[in-house]
């Protein structure tokens, strides 16, 4: 065991932090694996827990909330969410396992690997920030292109909505915006156009682009004719979500910078602790070998 007080502090801080991340990532990985392997049981359990009369959360789940919940636990949504959870959980688990085992066993190999992984992640984050700052126009162009591709390829309406559609509906309803740059983005949304033609209503925009009444998650337009004849008074047809999001970031720039600084400082501390402990372990072993 490293006898230095600072090294001991670094050791136990690394152990505690990585143990917490191991527990969280293991839970995420288990849930993701369960969703991928047996979606039906997850859907049934979720609905039973939330809608049962004996459930502690049942008083807070009304008919409308139950309908929303059923949409979010549709198999198509769960299948896409499962792979995201598995990937995120596995990645965090591997990094945290290296840090925890390296600290608890005082293994220079594991601590070095842990520190190198954190340095790579930190460097990639710095590179991404610099590239987005130096090439802002190109970054905006590619970001908009990616977002528009999700609308054109996956966005739909009616029943059996997938995770992309539900996510866009949630974003547009909460942010009071429509599409990436405006309502015209939906003219190139292939599935949306096909479903709208099949409806025969002459739909121009989804309900989430309209000015809504009641709970935004219910997607109930204040003006029922909005989806057919959207105007500036009954919808957000000219307010793109990308512009709205950029404005929100600018308005809350202090919070954004604060969050970035906290994340960066945490990563730097973990890197410093891992290499300090690695150095202390090496010095202690050299001392024992020498004397």
């Amino acid at each position: 065991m490293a006898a230095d007080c600072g090294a001991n502090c670094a050791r136990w801080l690394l152990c505690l932090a990585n143990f917490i991340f191991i527990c969280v990532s293991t839970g995420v990985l288990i849930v993701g694996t369960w969703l991928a392997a047996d979606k039906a049981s997850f859907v049934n359990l979720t609905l039973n827990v939330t809608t049962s009369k004996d459930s502690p959360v049942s008083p807070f789940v009304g008919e409308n909330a139950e309908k929303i919940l059923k949409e979010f636990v549709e198999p198509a949504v769960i299948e896409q969410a499962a792979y995201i959870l598995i990937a995120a959980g596995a990645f965090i688990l591997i990094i945290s396992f290296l840090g925890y085992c390296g600290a608890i066993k005082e293994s220079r190999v594991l601590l070095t690997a842990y520190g190198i992984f954190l340095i790579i992640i930190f460097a990639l984050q710095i590179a991404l920030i610099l590239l987005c700052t130096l090439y802002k126009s190109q970054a905006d162009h590619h970001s908009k292109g990616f977002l528009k591709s999700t609308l054109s390829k996956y966005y739909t309406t009616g029943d059996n909505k997938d995770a992309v559609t539900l996510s866009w509906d949630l974003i547009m309803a909460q942010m009071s915006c429509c599409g990436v740059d405006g309502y015209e983005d939906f003219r190139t949304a292939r599935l949306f156009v096909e479903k709208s033609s099949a409806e025969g209503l002459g739909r121009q925009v989804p309900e989430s682009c309209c000015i809504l009444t009641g709970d935004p998650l219910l997607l109930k337009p204040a003006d029922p004719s909005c989806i057919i004849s959207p105007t500036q008074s009954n919808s957000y047809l000219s307010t793109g979500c990308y512009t709205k999001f950029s404005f929100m970031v600018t308005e809350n720039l202090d919070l954004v910078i604060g969050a970035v600084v906290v994340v960066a400082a945490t990563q730097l501390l973990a890197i410093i602790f891992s290499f300090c402990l690695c150095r202390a372990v090496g010095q202690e072993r050299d001392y024992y070998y020498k004397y």
Side-chain angles (χ1 to χ4, degrees), residues 176-197:
S176 301
C177 56
C178 185
V180 180
D181 287 323
Y183 77 102
E184 292 184 351
D185 292 333
F186 292 98
R187 294 180 178 177
T188 58
R190 181 176 55 83
L191 295 176
F192 176 79
V193 172
E194 291 176 359
K195 288 289 185 70
S196 298
S197 299

Side-chain angles (χ1 to χ4, degrees), residues 175 177 240-250:
M175 294 180 59
C177 56
C241 292
Y242 193 87
T243 303
K244 191 73 176 284
F245 177 75
S246 299
F247 177 76
M248 290 173 62
V249 171
T250 304

Side-chain angles (χ1 to χ4, degrees), residues 95-280:
I95 303 296
S96 302
F97 182 80
L98 288 175
Y100 179 79
C101 290
I104 202 73
K105 294 292 186 181
E106 296 186 343
S107 168
R108 299 184 67 185
V109 175
L110 295 179
L111 286 170
T112 302
Y114 175 71
I116 290 174
F117 271 119
L118 289 182
I119 289 173
I120 293 172
I121 295 171
F122 184 77
L124 289 175
Q125 291 171 339
I126 296 297
L128 180 62
I129 293 173
L130 289 175
L131 288 174
C132 290
T133 303
L134 296 174
Y135 302 98
K136 186 177 183 302
S137 59
Q138 292 92 328
D140 287 341
H141 175 74
H142 289 297
S143 299
K144 284 186 177 182
F146 170 74
L147 293 173
K148 287 186 177 183
S149 70
T150 62
L151 279 178
S152 62
K153 293 179 181 179
Y154 305 110
Y155 190 87
T156 185
T157 187
D159 299 329
N160 299 321
K161 294 181 179 180
D162 62 5
V164 174
T165 301
L166 290 172
S167 298
W168 268 111
D169 282 341
L170 181 63
I171 291 170
M172 292 188 290
Q174 294 293 336
M175 294 180 59
S176 301
C177 56
C178 185
V180 180
D181 287 323
Y183 77 102
E184 292 184 351
D185 292 333
F186 292 98
R187 294 180 178 177
T188 58
R190 181 176 55 83
L191 295 176
F192 176 79
V193 172
E194 291 176 359
K195 288 289 185 70
S196 298
S197 299
E199 281 182 334
L201 299 175
R203 178 191 292 270
Q204 301 296 315
V205 295
E207 287 83 356
S208 50
C209 280
C210 300
I211 295 176
L212 304 174
T213 182
D215 190 340
L217 293 176
L218 299 178
L219 304 180
K220 184 178 180 182
D223 181 2
S225 65
C226 167
I227 60 173
I228 302 171
S229 303
T231 63
Q232 294 289 351
S233 60
N234 65 8
S235 69
Y236 306 102
L237 78 166
S238 299
T239 306
C241 292
Y242 193 87
T243 303
K244 191 73 176 284
F245 177 75
S246 299
F247 177 76
M248 290 173 62
V249 171
T250 304
E251 285 289 298
N252 300 279
L253 193 58
D254 292 341
L255 292 176
V256 174
I257 293 174
V260 171
V261 169
V262 169
V263 172
T266 303
Q267 291 177 332
L268 281 175
L269 283 175
I271 293 170
I272 293 171
F273 284 167
S274 64
F275 283 112
C276 284
L277 180 57
C278 185
R279 180 173 177 271

